Amino acid sequence: MKPLTNLLFLVSLTVFSQYNYDASEAFPFGQANPEAPKQITDYEAMIGRCNCTSTRKNQDGTWTEPEDMTWTWKYILNGMAVQDETLKSDGSHSGSIRQYIADSSRWYVHWYSSKTPTTELPTWEGKKKDNGNIVHYKEQKAPNGTDGYFRLTFYDISQSGYKWVGEWVDKTESVVFPTWKIDCIREEN
């Protein structure tokens, strides 16, 4: 009886623990789950690994010297969400978990970083625009107290890479102040 019980346990474990769309030898960055909302493919061109340069704006308005980083994207949660991770040349890490919630027709992006650990992850929300850009917002006041957003935009997205900009914008988006830029080129497979 015991061998039969062990066999049934092994078969049930194998059958019910399959994650057909997570990373595998054939698909090292996972796959989009066909049961996910169609927007799961909004990040499709970014899935994989890119070599990037990151620059930030200094207090005096000048830009820092470019810092090298690697940005890796993959499907997670059995292809129902997207995760990205960065590794910067200074050894710091950051990343996001991105979930599309169909009821609100929005992506929700939960960001984390090794430099700024927190008990609550900041969250941006947004979507892919008609022009192909992916734009996310998080409410944030300007240093002078003006209401606005920190806007994150992916643009020039192609199979060869993409660009990203972080900007403070006022509520009407007529005042735009870029603070961070990243340019990425896909690694050769």
Side-chain angles (χ1 to χ4, degrees), residues 19-114:
Y19 292 96
N20 298 325
Y21 304 100
D22 277 349
S24 66
E25 191 172 324
F27 298 97
F29 303 105
Q31 302 175 80
N33 189 322
E35 299 296 318
K38 67 181 174 120
Q39 289 81 1
I40 194 71
T41 61
D42 286 354
Y43 294 96
E44 188 172 50
M46 290 181 251
I47 299 295
R49 186 170 290 118
C50 283
N51 295 313
C52 308
T53 56
S54 170
T55 57
R56 292 178 175 252
K57 193 166 272 189
N58 291 312
Q59 291 285 2
D60 65 4
T62 62
W63 289 90
T64 61
E65 289 297 315
E67 177 182 22
D68 292 333
M69 64 180 253
T70 302
W71 204 339
T72 304
W73 294 75
K74 61 187 173 186
Y75 291 107
I76 62 168
L77 301 177
N78 198 30
M80 301 295 282
V82 174
Q83 181 178 20
D84 66 276
E85 301 171 307
T86 67
L87 174 58
K88 296 175 184 68
S89 59
D90 68 0
S92 64
H93 298 76
S94 64
S96 299
I97 295 175
R98 300 161 185 273
Q99 292 183 291
Y100 187 83
I101 299 178
D103 290 347
S104 63
S105 300
R106 298 240 183 271
W107 280 99
Y108 291 85
V109 181
H110 310 284
W111 181 77
Y112 50 90
S113 169
S114 62

Side-chain angles (χ1 to χ4, degrees), residues 167-183:
E167 306 163 301
W168 183 86
V169 298
D170 70 345
K171 292 280 185 169
T172 65
E173 297 185 69
S174 58
V175 176
V176 178
F177 184 77
T179 62
W180 193 357
K181 298 187 284 189
I182 302 173
D183 292 343

Side-chain angles (χ1 to χ4, degrees), residues 121-139:
L121 297 177
T123 303
W124 279 259
E125 65 178 76
K127 60 184 176 179
K128 188 172 188 176
K129 304 290 186 175
D130 292 337
N131 65 3
N133 293 350
I134 301 173
V135 183
H136 301 293
Y137 297 87
K138 180 179 162 302
E139 286 197 28

